[in-house]
Amino acid sequence: MGSSSGGWGYSRVATLVAALAAVLLVAACGGSSQGSGDGAPYTIGVSNGFISSEWRTQMIQDLERVNKEYMEEGLTEELVIESADVDVQGQIQQMRNLINRGVDAIIVNPNSVTGLNQVIKEASDAGIVVISVDQEIPAEGAINVVIDQGEWARRSAEWLVEQLGGEGRVVVINGIAGHPANEARYDAVKEVFAQNPGIEVVAEANANWDQATGQQKMSNIISSGTEFDGVWTQDGMARGVLQAIIASDPEEFPVVVGEARLGYMRLWHELRQQDRDFSSYGVINPPGVGASGLRVAVEMLQGKELKEGVLSGEANNTIYVPIPGVVNDQNFDEWYQKVKDKEGEYVLDGIISREKAQSYFRQ
């Protein structure tokens, strides 16, 4: 009995010591203390529910690059990345995986305007900082770090109307129906068109932000005999749309809203070299908005409070970061020289500086 009793006593002490160590570890990690400021290095999760896009690939690369900067200072750990093509339920599971991992913050590019509300609340209730990037959502417990998607789309729609002299037949090729950014963009475009009654939308399609699908949808519209003077489209579909138009060998090119991506810009450059009468316009939609959200998250995790008036938007939970610029006929050569040697489908980009992120907070 003596040896048995002594063993039990040692085991109990060891258990208590282990439990105390676990408590101290949780306190040090700061996983349940939002913005406590004393939990570095922070663990940041990423929920990306759509990967069939070069834009999203670049977003993840930007996140990893900026996070490495913070890692070198001991402020963050390696990112915990959940990235796959999933539906809303799949993205809810991504978020729950990150909550269960005990991350300090989640950067989410949401697949739905409201579908993630409950899981975002779960994360927020667990003390996790939740930053929605790229797409503005009204979820309680989330801060949006986005460009103004409506303004982004409005600029190109106004340019298209101006090029058409306020009158013309327009084809619209949209992204994923129901996606927050797609809805915000097309709402703004419809407002612009409504203000110009000479503009008639003669065909409309969803091409899911996919270049090949955009090319197929545009080819179908052309082969149907639909007559049009201009095309409004967005992001990765613009290259496919332009390829379909080039393949149809038009006598006169329609006015096409383009994109600030290298693949599209190469086609644009070729048409300029051929001295074709082609005009386009691409507003920069920066994949770096994810990394901008990361910068904001790190400031929040350090216990800083946002300044009065920084948040705006319909739900008053949005930080609008600047749209980096536009590519047009006038400045095309300048932009093209900067990016022509990049690889693949490089997207013109922009990430807010650390100083810009800090400017949103009380010091």
Side-chain angles (χ1 to χ4, degrees):
M1 286 289 291
S3 62
S4 172
S5 175
W8 178 86
Y10 174 81
S11 174
R12 180 170 185 136
V13 170
T15 302
L16 290 171
V17 168
L20 179 59
V23 169
L24 290 172
L25 181 62
V26 169
C29 289
S32 63
S33 179
Q34 180 170 335
S36 62
D38 60 359
Y42 308 110
T43 302
I44 296 176
V46 177
S47 170
N48 178 39
F50 176 66
I51 61 170
S52 302
S53 157
E54 301 87 356
W55 193 99
R56 295 296 182 103
T57 302
Q58 195 169 322
M59 179 190 79
I60 297 294
Q61 291 169 345
D62 285 343
L63 275 161
E64 290 176 327
R65 182 161 48 83
V66 169
N67 188 61
K68 187 177 179 185
E69 166 194 319
Y70 289 113
M71 284 175 63
E72 288 170 354
E73 298 174 26
L75 278 171
T76 63
E77 304 274 14
E78 288 275 3
L79 294 173
V80 180
I81 298 174
E82 293 267 346
S83 185
D85 274 328
V86 291
D87 58 13
V88 174
Q89 287 304 313
Q91 190 161 38
I92 289 170
Q93 189 57 54
Q94 284 186 346
M95 296 275 289
R96 291 209 168 114
N97 292 345
L98 294 170
I99 294 168
N100 292 336
R101 283 287 298 268
V103 300
D104 298 293
I106 296 173
I107 311 296
V108 55
N109 195 326
N111 279 3
S112 168
V113 177
T114 58
L116 303 180
N117 284 4
Q118 179 57 40
V119 73
I120 286 172
K121 185 176 186 303
E122 289 171 23
S124 181
D125 288 347
I128 298 169
V129 171
V130 180
I131 305 290
S132 172
V133 297
D134 184 32
Q135 320 202 46
E136 188 176 339
I137 57 175
E140 183 183 342
I143 299 290
N144 300 310
V145 177
V146 297
I147 64 167
D148 186 333
Q149 296 286 358
E151 174 61 23
W152 179 88
R154 191 175 293 111
R155 290 187 188 187
S156 57
E158 288 175 345
W159 172 85
L160 178 61
V161 169
E162 183 181 336
Q163 294 297 304
L164 294 173
E167 293 186 359
R169 295 157 298 189
V170 172
V171 168
V172 173
I173 307 291
N174 270 320
I176 297 175
H179 239 270
N182 186 74
E183 299 308 303
R185 291 170 180 179
Y186 196 34
D187 283 348
V189 169
K190 286 185 285 191
E191 282 180 21
V192 172
F193 290 170
Q195 292 161 7
N196 295 273
I199 297 296
E200 178 190 3
V201 176
V202 293
E204 200 175 320
N206 290 95
N208 303 331
W209 288 317
D210 179 69
Q211 174 194 324
T213 308
Q215 183 170 353
Q216 184 61 54
K217 297 282 187 178
M218 193 70 233
S219 294
N220 292 346
I221 290 167
I222 292 169
S223 62
S224 74
T226 301
E227 295 185 359
F228 59 95
D229 308 296
V231 181
W232 187 88
T233 189
Q234 44 169 303
D235 281 356
M237 301 168 296
R239 180 182 173 192
V241 165
L242 184 53
Q243 285 172 321
I245 293 169
I246 291 171
S248 72
D249 194 22
E251 287 185 22
E252 185 179 343
F253 270 88
V255 180
V256 181
V257 166
E259 58 177 333
R261 299 191 190 199
L262 186 51
Y264 183 86
M265 291 173 70
R266 286 194 179 112
L267 290 178
W268 191 348
H269 176 68
E270 288 171 15
L271 291 170
R272 287 168 68 89
Q273 294 298 103
Q274 295 168 17
D275 204 25
R276 299 296 296 265
D277 185 20
F278 173 72
S279 186
S280 197
Y281 185 95
V283 187
I284 298 172
N285 177 26
V289 73
S292 296
L294 174 62
R295 290 206 187 280
V296 171
V298 170
E299 297 301 315
M300 293 181 71
L301 288 169
Q302 293 178 90
K304 296 182 182 178
E305 293 184 11
L306 288 164
K307 290 177 181 174
E308 195 76 30
V310 165
L311 295 177
S312 58
E314 285 189 20
N316 200 40
N317 67 335
T318 301
I319 298 173
Y320 291 113
V321 297
I323 294 172
V326 302
V327 181
N328 56 32
D329 294 318
Q330 289 70 44
N331 66 17
F332 178 86
D333 291 331
E334 177 187 345
W335 277 113
Y336 191 64
Q337 287 303 315
K338 288 180 183 178
V339 300
K340 67 178 184 177
D341 296 325
K342 298 276 189 183
E343 292 184 3
E345 295 294 309
Y346 179 80
V347 185
L348 273 60
D349 212 345
I351 301 170
I352 62 171
S353 66
R354 186 178 297 197
E355 291 71 28
K356 180 67 174 176
Q358 290 169 345
S359 75
Y360 300 136
F361 294 85
R362 296 192 179 105
Q363 299 304 311

